[in-house]
Amino acid sequence: MRELLKGTQVTWLGHSAVLVQTHSGTTLLIDPFITGNPKYPADFKLPAKVDYILLTHGHGDHLGDAVALAAKYDATVVAIYELAAFLAAKGVAKTIGMNLGGTVRLADVAATMTDARHSAGTSDEKGTHYTGVPAGFVMTVENGPVLYHAGDTAVFGDMKLIRELYAPDVAMLPIGGHYTMGPREAALAVQFLQPKLVLPIHYGTFPPLTGRPDELQSLVKDFEVAVIEPGDSL
Ligand code: NI
Ligand code: MN
């Protein structure tokens, strides 16, 4: 694991929230669902600095505490163009709006926005707003691993393109079912992506999210599925 990650630390914070700290000290927080996340580790302390907050889409369980955390840490929020503009209008000072297929450099990380099959839209007191389409991220760490966070998605054949283009070492895949793919579909995603390690996410948070890592592992015996608790690192 240490070998694979080359000093980069990947910490699961429950649901789709993941903290990435590169060996050179860049800190990225993906889908920071903290308030209201029943699986967020209560005693977990975020690091003293968070450089970037990456959002896969605007649903509440992914947008989470992004606005407050961006202010607290003076962090830059990276999201699809319309969601970034929505958050800028909400007072987020530093945003990077991008789109599917594009890559932005975040210190020693090249972050590529990938396809995802899901819905998007962000709700506030005025209703639901169009905030672009759902996405995933490939994070290529300089002299480090290639990490793929799939966001919320069904399995789709173009995951083969993600493999061909970026060859992720670690694939963070939703497996809960109901709102995303479950273990059966995620098993095919693993075949498409051929990662060295799978980190199951988006399961067990709420009653409908019934998929479990052991079901996925039993379907992909040739691949390593990491089973860790929220707050633990790979
Ligand atoms: Ni969603
Ligand atoms: Mn979700």
Side-chain angles (χ1 to χ4, degrees):
M1 218 84 95
R2 183 163 284 274
E3 188 102 315
L4 174 65
L5 292 172
K6 297 169 190 155
T8 289
Q9 201 172 359
V10 177
T11 307
W12 184 43
L13 300 177
H15 207 56
S16 293
V18 176
L19 179 70
V20 174
Q21 294 164 281
T22 74
H23 54 91
S24 71
T26 305
T27 303
L28 298 83
L29 187 54
I30 308 152
D31 286 357
F33 176 39
I34 297 174
T35 305
N37 177 357
K39 295 293 182 184
Y40 188 80
D43 52 354
F44 188 82
K45 290 267 180 292
L46 284 171
K49 105 187 158 78
V50 173
D51 302 302
Y52 299 98
I53 297 170
L54 280 61
L55 301 175
T56 62
H57 62 300
H59 286 162
D61 58 320
H62 298 259
L63 178 60
D65 300 81
V67 172
L69 291 172
K72 180 176 176 187
Y73 288 101
D74 192 32
T76 300
V77 174
V78 182
I80 203 157
Y81 180 83
E82 291 84 355
L83 180 56
F86 176 85
L87 294 173
K90 290 274 183 200
V92 175
K94 297 195 284 187
T95 59
I96 297 176
M98 61 186 302
N99 220 311
L100 303 179
T103 299
V104 296
R105 177 149 285 278
L106 311 174
D108 57 334
V109 179
T112 302
M113 185 169 271
T114 65
D115 212 352
R117 298 293 162 81
H118 189 64
S119 65
T122 306
S123 301
D124 65 7
E125 62 285 347
K126 290 185 186 141
T128 299
H129 306 272
Y130 173 74
T131 48
V133 298
F137 285 102
V138 170
M139 292 154 282
T140 303
V141 182
E142 213 171 276
N143 302 314
V146 179
L147 311 172
Y148 169 48
H149 187 299
D152 278 356
T153 190
V155 65
F156 54 96
D158 284 355
M159 284 178 172
K160 290 178 188 169
L161 298 183
I162 294 173
R163 153 80 183 163
E164 189 172 338
L165 282 163
Y166 314 110
D169 297 302
V170 178
M172 303 172 229
L173 303 176
I175 64 156
H178 194 105
Y179 298 110
T180 68
M181 58 186 174
R184 181 183 172 197
E185 296 79 15
L188 189 59
V190 170
Q191 298 293 345
F192 288 164
L193 292 161
Q194 299 278 310
K196 297 186 183 80
L197 184 65
V198 180
L199 177 63
I201 58 174
H202 211 276
Y203 72 91
T205 331
F206 304 110
L209 309 189
T210 56
R212 290 295 178 268
D214 57 331
E215 294 172 67
L216 175 61
Q217 181 69 82
S218 70
L219 296 168
V220 290
K221 294 206 170 66
D222 295 342
F223 293 88
E224 188 179 353
V225 177
V227 183
I228 62 174
E229 293 299 314
D232 288 348
S233 303
L234 290 178

